[in-house]
Amino acid sequence: REIFEIRAGLFDIVARQVAATRPPELMAVLHAGVARLEDLAAQADGGDAYAETAYRLMIIAARFCGNLRLQRMLSALSLQALRYSKLGLATVDRRRRSAGLWRRAVQAIERGDEAEAVALTLQRIQESGDEAARQLGVA
């Protein structure tokens, strides 16, 4: 829970900055990445690949913030959380829910709606962390 809480706080910064600047190169990567997540969400055995793809998308987004320390912190923390994220995204239903939140967050970023992008990003991270904790019996 602590890892997910800290990640959410750091990704708050990323979502705000990305929504404020909307770099075209990042937007193209996010669109392709969300399409990949949606494909993986529907696959019965797509859980690990889904979590790894989401991890990569978040780290790529962090790179566009221009804050090397933030990027390093998120890379290390997200790598620690990856095994728990895989638990939290183990079912098709959870992955479909997550992919929908990703899609909506990218749309909010495109509109420059920082508040909505942040809220959806935090919701996605929170739900994944809650499910991982439930799977581990610490909910």
Side-chain angles (χ1 to χ4, degrees), residues 6-131:
I6 295 166
R7 279 179 70 226
L10 295 174
F11 275 110
D12 178 303
I13 298 167
V14 172
R16 285 183 197 286
Q17 289 186 4
V18 168
T21 59
R22 298 186 302 277
E25 313 85 35
L26 176 58
M27 297 312 299
V29 169
L30 289 175
H31 281 290
V34 168
R36 173 83 173 129
L37 290 175
E38 289 170 338
D39 287 342
L40 291 168
Q43 296 176 20
D45 62 348
D48 285 357
Y50 183 99
E52 291 163 8
T53 300
Y55 164 81
R56 285 187 202 100
L57 285 176
M58 291 189 289
I59 298 309
I60 290 167
R63 288 183 186 151
F64 279 85
C65 291
N67 183 330
L68 187 56
R69 184 165 299 199
L70 174 66
Q71 179 186 336
R72 286 180 181 158
M73 290 172 69
L74 281 170
S75 291
L77 199 57
S78 294
L79 194 55
Q80 290 176 41
L82 186 57
R83 77 178 212 179
Y84 301 114
S85 294
K86 289 178 179 182
L87 281 175
L89 296 164
T91 67
V92 169
D93 287 341
R94 273 292 306 125
R95 290 192 301 275
R96 285 185 175 148
R97 170 90 176 137
S98 174
L101 292 170
W102 268 102
R103 171 71 61 200
R104 291 172 50 207
V106 169
Q107 291 168 344
I109 290 167
E110 284 183 316
R111 293 190 309 271
D113 188 340
E114 291 179 37
E116 183 72 6
V118 167
L120 291 164
T121 298
L122 298 182
Q123 180 180 352
R124 184 177 43 76
I125 292 169
Q126 179 70 44
E127 288 180 8
S128 184
D130 288 349
E131 178 60 17

